[in-house]
């Protein structure tokens, strides 16, 4: 079905990664008649490979290569992290795109404004929501109200919140775009068994293949982006599943490896012309690494909830997303429902003995919340390459350094306090919250867009300031984190970037 | 060693490391069952100590010792290719017995105190993470807690309880 390209054919755009950013960009380009080769480090699963088994799917699709530092939650599989995501899809707000202007110069941060406005982004949000089937948009009904949602909504209303919705989720509430409506299976993070949740594995990828302008190469681990003497990207070197090295020539290159891998590839591609790595004349590649402020919060309700029965995340309270400095911090956050299973509750509550055992005894009465909130960029929060350790591809092991800014700490405290009030307003007791740094499922900012080339890595289209035919197409390009779960914005930016690349190619500028 | 074994070992190491970092709800979900028995049964005194430790780690009165023993057997079977796991269990037994006499013969308060005394030692986190994963994925524990588990084969929870909240919610609204 799909087209095949020769390695020495320099006409295709080479896209690295097949997740939210990479596959969306690839499909949008292919729909425009632009040839694309997509390199994916993982293999291609089918829905038959998806099972309601967290550990098995962690082996089958997780990115389990060695790393130093705080855990991240990447996937090495066609579809990338869109296989694992919860599919909550709020938009970034206008004031969040003007983070530096709105919040001022927060001490010890490297805050900047995005070099684009919400007016420019809004049409692409519309397209992204249509593409992904976001509930509550484009005439799509809201999502099913799970028990966890009903509990959160009741508590939220009781404490005076008004913006409470079971919409804003990229899981089909009804059959749409050749995919079925959600059956409330509950194992969203293990890959959606029926394809109701938007994942590029069964949306963007097959649609791109149908254009005859697209080739997907699986088990293809990119090692290096090569360039010519003029400093233009010319090819991508990758290793296949047999360990053989290949070099695909390219008209342009777009990197969408999810923040950790995007950093590693740009830095690993250092050359005599670009000794600090590609796109890194500013020194910002790998810097300003953001993870969102998160917390997982449980509370024991007076009666049965059974929060495992249904979509893992099925609705949210949006009232706290705004910038209200009187709360004692800059930026805002979302309070989102979160169902869970026993092993995960035990791990999140932590510890051992009666405090854990007794909590699990109340398993079917637990309600849960996942917080996601603004995390300002800091120069010291960064991803770099280990000086000596190498993985099985011979690539330097990534080193992740991250600590919470005090603004993030204050935001997290507030979010826990508010969520506790929500739960306890309807009789919740023994509310427990994770503090500090959680595992990052939202990774952002290591190749940020900036108006000034010395402030970041990419321009307002995700094109690197240094190399005109090298693009960044994932959350790495975020200038700041905002509060919203990042995938919708990644997809909107990728659609916009595809328009930009197509237009530049029409004008033969690329 | 075959590459599949290497991959599995890498995964085991990663899962233990991450579970130890407390990444429960949004991290990898722990270890899996399924390797052939390759190094004989677990020493009976070690097993007795570990079963007791497992219950103290995750105590549920309604769950019998047979379930905790099964958890240990599963962990032992799947780690059989990994000599370091056997060594970890032996270290744990020696250390616990070293906290004032044979561990299994002491009263519960003394056993809890012994566990507290060793919870920063190297063996504690791997055992804790392994037992947690296997225990809270055990069918008998799921049944006891009211967790209904995988749902796809039954058509999801859509017509099997999704969205149902007890009458309590109407009363507190």
């Amino acid at each position: 079905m799909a087209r095949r390209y020769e390695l020495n054919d320099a006409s295709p755009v080479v896209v690295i990664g097949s997740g939210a950013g990479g596959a969306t960009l690839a499909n949008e380009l292919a729909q425009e008649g632009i040839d694309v080769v997509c390199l994916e480090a993982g293999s291609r699963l089918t829905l038959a490979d998806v099972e309601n088994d967290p550990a098995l799917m962690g082996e089958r699709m997780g990115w389990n290569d060695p790393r130093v530092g705080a855990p991240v939650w990447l996937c090495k599989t066609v579809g990338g992290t869109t296989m694992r995501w919860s599919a909550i899809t709020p938009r970034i707000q206008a004031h969040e795109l003007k983070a530096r202007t709105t919040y001022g110069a927060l001490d010890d941060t490297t805050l900047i404004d995005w070099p684009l406005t919400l007016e420019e982004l809004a049409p692409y949000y519309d397209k992204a929501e249509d593409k992904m089937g976001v509930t509550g948009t484009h005439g799509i009904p809201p999502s099913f109200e799970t028990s966890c949602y009903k509990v959160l909504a009741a508590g939220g209303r009781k404490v005076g919140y008004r913006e409470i919705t079971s919409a804003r989720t990229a899981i089909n509430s009804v059959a749409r775009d050749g995919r079925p409506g959600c059956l409330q299976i509950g194992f969203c993070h293990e890959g959606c068994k029926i394809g109701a949740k938007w994942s590029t594995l069964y949306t963007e990828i097959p649609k791109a293949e149908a254009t005859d302008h697209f080739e997907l190469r699986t088990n293809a681990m990119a090692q290096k982006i090569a360039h010519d003497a003029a400093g233009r990207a010319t090819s991508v070197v990758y290793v296949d599943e047999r360990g053989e090295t290949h070099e695909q020539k390219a008209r342009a290159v777009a990197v969408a490896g999810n923040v950790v891998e995007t950093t590693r590839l740009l830095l690993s591609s250092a050359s005599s012309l670009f000794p600090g790595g590609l796109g890194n004349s500013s020194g910002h590649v790998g810097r300003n690494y953001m993870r969102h402020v998160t917390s997982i919060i449980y509370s024991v309700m007076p009666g049965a909830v059974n929060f495992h029965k249904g979509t893992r995340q099925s609705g949210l309270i949006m009232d706290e997303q705004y910038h209200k400095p009187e709360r004692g911090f800059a930026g805002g956050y979302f309070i989102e429902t979160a169902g869970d299973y026993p092993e995960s509750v035990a791990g999140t509550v932590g510890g051992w003995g009666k405090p854990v055992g007794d909590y699990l005894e109340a398993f079917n009465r637990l309600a849960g919340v996942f917080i996601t909130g603004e995390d300002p960029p800091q120069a010291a929060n960064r991803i770099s390459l280990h000086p000596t350790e190498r993985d099985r591809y011979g690539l330097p092991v990534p080193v992740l350094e991250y600590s919470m800014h005090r603004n993030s700490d204050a935001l997290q405290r507030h979010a826990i306090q508010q969520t506790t009030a929500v739960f306890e307003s309807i009789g919740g007791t023994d509310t427990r919250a994770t503090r500090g740094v959680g595992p990052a499922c939202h990774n952002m900012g290591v190749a940020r867009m900036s108006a000034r080339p010395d402030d970041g890595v990419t321009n307002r289209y995700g094109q690197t300031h240094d190399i005109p035919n090298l693009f960044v197409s994932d959350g790495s390009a975020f200038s700041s984190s905002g509060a919203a779960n990042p995938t919708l914005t990644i997809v909107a930016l990728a659609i916009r970037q595809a328009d930009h690349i197509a237009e530049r190619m029409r004008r033969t500028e690329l | 060693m075959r590459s599949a074994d290497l991959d599995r070992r890498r995964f085991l190491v990663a899962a233990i490391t991450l579970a130890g970092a407390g990444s429960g709800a949004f991290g990898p979900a722990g270890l899996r069952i399924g390797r052939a028995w390759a190094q004989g049964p677990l020493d009976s005194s070690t097993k007795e100590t570990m079963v007791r430790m497992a219950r103290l780690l995750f105590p549920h009165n309604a769950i019998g010792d047979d379930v905790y023993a099964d958890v240990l057997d599963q962990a032992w079977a799947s780690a059989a290719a990994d000599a370091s796991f056997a060594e970890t269990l032996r270290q744990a037994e020696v250390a616990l017995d070293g906290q004032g006499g044979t561990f299994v013969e002491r009263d519960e308060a003394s056993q809890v105190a012994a566990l507290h005394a060793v919870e920063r030692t190297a063996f504690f986190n791997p055992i804790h993470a392994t037992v947690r994963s296997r225990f809270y994925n055990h069918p008998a524990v799921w049944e006891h807690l009211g967790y209904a588990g995988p749902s796809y084969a039954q058509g999801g929870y859509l017509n099997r309880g999704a969205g149902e909240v007890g009458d309590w919610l109407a009363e507190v609204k």
Side-chain angles (χ1 to χ4, degrees):
Chain A
M1 57 180 165
R3 178 97 170 258
R4 304 280 298 173
Y5 295 90
E6 298 294 326
L7 289 169
N8 63 4
D9 180 351
S11 65
V13 175
V14 175
V15 175
I16 298 158
S18 66
T24 299
L25 173 67
N27 181 34
E28 293 288 318
L29 291 175
Q31 298 294 336
E32 292 287 318
I34 296 165
D35 293 319
V36 176
V37 170
C38 181
L39 303 177
E40 165 55 50
S43 58
R44 185 173 191 160
L45 303 181
T46 68
L47 293 185
D49 300 313
V50 171
E51 295 185 33
N52 291 173
D53 184 332
L56 177 67
M57 295 313 293
E59 282 186 88
R60 217 166 253 182
M61 67 185 198
W63 196 299
N64 301 316
D65 291 349
R67 273 141 181 38
V68 176
V72 287
W73 216 46
L74 311 195
C75 287
K76 185 193 281 187
T77 190
V78 175
T81 315
T82 65
M83 291 297 285
R84 187 177 262 172
W85 75 313
S86 293
I88 302 280
T89 45
R91 293 184 179 191
I92 285 187
Q93 305 162 87
H95 74 268
E96 292 173 314
L97 297 176
K98 297 181 172 64
R100 172 66 180 80
T101 303
T102 309
Y103 308 150
L106 294 178
D107 287 350
D108 306 319
T109 74
T110 51
L111 212 54
I112 58 171
D113 289 346
W114 292 54
L116 74 165
T117 64
L118 189 59
E119 293 74 48
E120 292 170 279
L121 198 50
Y124 294 99
Y125 270 136
D126 281 336
K127 289 181 182 181
E129 287 162 351
D130 187 27
K131 175 193 286 290
M132 302 163 83
V134 173
T135 57
T137 75
H138 298 85
I140 303 168
S143 305
F144 179 87
E145 296 192 2
T146 63
S147 58
C148 204
Y149 174 74
K150 287 175 179 172
V151 169
L152 186 72
R157 280 190 286 269
K158 199 135 182 179
V159 302
Y161 285 140
R162 294 168 172 277
E163 297 178 67
I164 306 171
T165 180
S166 72
R168 295 278 153 199
T169 306
I171 300 175
N172 277 350
S173 52
V174 292
R176 186 175 190 269
D177 196 27
R179 296 182 289 116
C182 177
L183 292 176
Q184 302 300 316
I185 291 169
F187 288 79
C188 305
H189 298 170
E190 287 66 42
C192 179
K193 180 66 181 170
I194 59 171
K197 180 182 80 173
W198 184 79
S199 170
T200 56
L201 171 67
Y202 38 77
T203 57
E204 306 310 296
I205 295 291
K207 286 179 184 184
E209 286 174 332
T211 65
D212 204 32
H213 290 284
F214 176 82
E215 178 186 348
L216 175 68
R217 288 185 203 152
T218 58
N219 301 297
M221 179 68 195
Q223 307 263 297
K224 181 183 168 73
I225 299 164
H227 60 80
D228 61 18
R232 288 179 61 88
T234 52
S235 65
V236 178
V237 177
Y238 66 95
V239 174
D240 69 16
E241 58 197 315
R242 293 182 302 278
E244 291 171 16
T245 301
H246 307 279
E247 184 166 359
Q248 174 64 52
K249 291 216 176 338
R251 181 178 183 178
V253 175
V255 188
N258 200 332
V259 169
V260 180
E261 293 305 323
T262 292
T263 300
R264 178 155 76 154
L265 184 59
L266 292 174
L267 295 180
S268 294
S269 300
S271 64
S272 54
L273 190 59
F274 300 111
L278 300 193
N280 199 23
S281 65
S282 65
H284 276 286
V285 170
R287 298 269 183 189
N288 315 304
Y289 169 46
M290 299 172 286
R291 300 162 63 100
H292 271 153
V293 180
T294 63
S295 179
I296 297 158
I297 306 164
Y298 305 118
S299 190
V300 181
M301 292 297 134
V305 179
N306 286 309
F307 69 173
H308 65 284
K309 293 187 178 177
T311 312
R312 290 292 296 272
Q313 293 198 251
S314 57
L316 63 168
I317 296 175
M318 305 174 76
D319 298 68
E320 299 284 2
Q321 67 177 313
Y322 306 104
H323 175 57
K324 295 187 252 180
E326 63 272 20
R327 290 177 302 188
F329 55 88
Y333 60 88
F334 292 98
I335 302 171
E336 304 177 346
T337 63
D340 223 331
Y341 52 93
E343 179 201 355
S344 182
V345 173
T348 302
V349 168
W352 57 274
K354 276 182 67 66
V356 190
D358 289 353
Y359 211 65
L360 268 292
E361 284 287 319
F363 177 78
N364 66 9
R365 291 190 285 136
L366 292 179
V369 148
F370 179 70
I371 297 295
T372 173
E374 175 109 31
D375 180 33
Q378 303 175 76
N381 285 350
R382 63 183 294 215
I383 299 170
S384 56
L385 304 181
H386 196 281
T388 54
E389 281 194 40
R390 298 291 179 269
D391 67 13
R392 64 186 153 121
Y393 301 106
L395 290 171
V397 169
V399 178
L400 283 71
E401 294 169 84
Y402 177 88
S403 64
M404 269 172 80
H405 188 268
R406 56 189 169 278
N407 193 80
S408 299
D409 185 71
L411 183 152
Q412 189 186 55
R413 284 179 191 281
H414 192 270
I416 291 169
Q417 173 196 310
Q418 291 303 111
T419 303
T420 302
V422 166
F423 282 144
E424 298 190 352
S425 76
I426 50 171
T429 56
D430 199 0
T431 303
R432 299 196 193 180
T434 57
R435 288 278 295 141
V437 179
C441 28
H442 301 173
N443 296 288
M444 296 161 286
V446 293
R448 70 184 186 181
M449 297 187 282
S450 63
R452 289 180 12 212
D454 61 346
D455 255 352
V457 178
T458 51
N459 69 12
R460 56 204 307 276
Y461 296 104
Q463 180 182 25
T464 59
H465 291 302
D466 296 350
I467 300 176
N469 67 338
L470 176 61
F471 295 82
V472 173
S473 315
D474 61 9
S476 306
F478 282 30
S479 308
S480 66
S481 79
N485 309 53
T487 300
L488 176 72
T489 303
I490 292 171
V491 172
L493 289 172
I495 300 170
R496 180 170 177 272
Q497 185 179 63
D499 274 6
H500 173 74
I501 291 173
E503 176 60 25
R504 297 279 304 273
M505 285 182 170
R506 273 192 291 275
R507 299 200 309 249
T508 64
E509 294 170 0
L510 196 68
Chain B
M1 190 176 279
R2 291 179 300 111
S3 65
D5 290 331
L6 279 172
D7 286 346
R8 175 170 289 270
R9 286 169 56 83
R10 280 194 198 95
F11 176 74
L12 289 171
V13 169
I16 287 171
T17 307
L18 296 179
S23 61
F26 290 83
L31 316 185
R32 283 190 56 76
I33 307 165
R35 182 150 295 276
W37 204 278
Q39 60 179 40
L42 179 57
D43 175 81
S44 64
S45 106
T46 307
K47 183 171 171 180
E48 193 184 356
T49 305
M50 288 301 107
V51 167
R52 185 65 195 150
M53 177 174 171
R55 178 181 285 284
L56 291 169
L57 289 177
F58 303 106
H60 291 269
N61 289 339
I63 302 291
D65 271 352
D66 56 325
V67 173
Y68 290 96
D70 195 31
V71 163
L72 261 296
D73 286 341
Q74 287 178 18
W76 181 254
S78 84
D82 185 354
S84 67
F85 186 69
E87 183 55 29
T88 296
L89 297 186
R90 275 189 286 272
Q91 281 175 11
E93 184 185 15
V94 169
L96 290 171
D97 285 347
Q99 298 293 323
T102 305
F103 182 72
V104 294
E105 291 170 1
R106 294 154 62 188
D107 64 30
E108 181 169 326
S110 165
Q111 289 172 334
V112 169
L115 269 182
H116 275 297
V118 301
E119 67 182 332
R120 306 242 176 270
T121 55
F123 67 77
F124 189 88
N125 278 346
I127 295 174
H128 176 258
T130 299
V131 171
R132 183 180 65 202
S133 171
R134 292 190 181 282
F135 180 78
Y136 285 116
N137 282 312
H138 196 286
V141 177
W142 282 4
E143 189 179 353
H144 169 66
L145 299 180
Y147 174 59
S151 74
Y152 168 68
Q154 289 82 44
Y157 288 113
L158 184 59
N159 299 310
R160 296 191 311 122
E164 291 176 11
V165 185
D167 294 339
W168 67 269
L169 188 61
E171 291 159 20
V172 298
K173 263 185 187 176

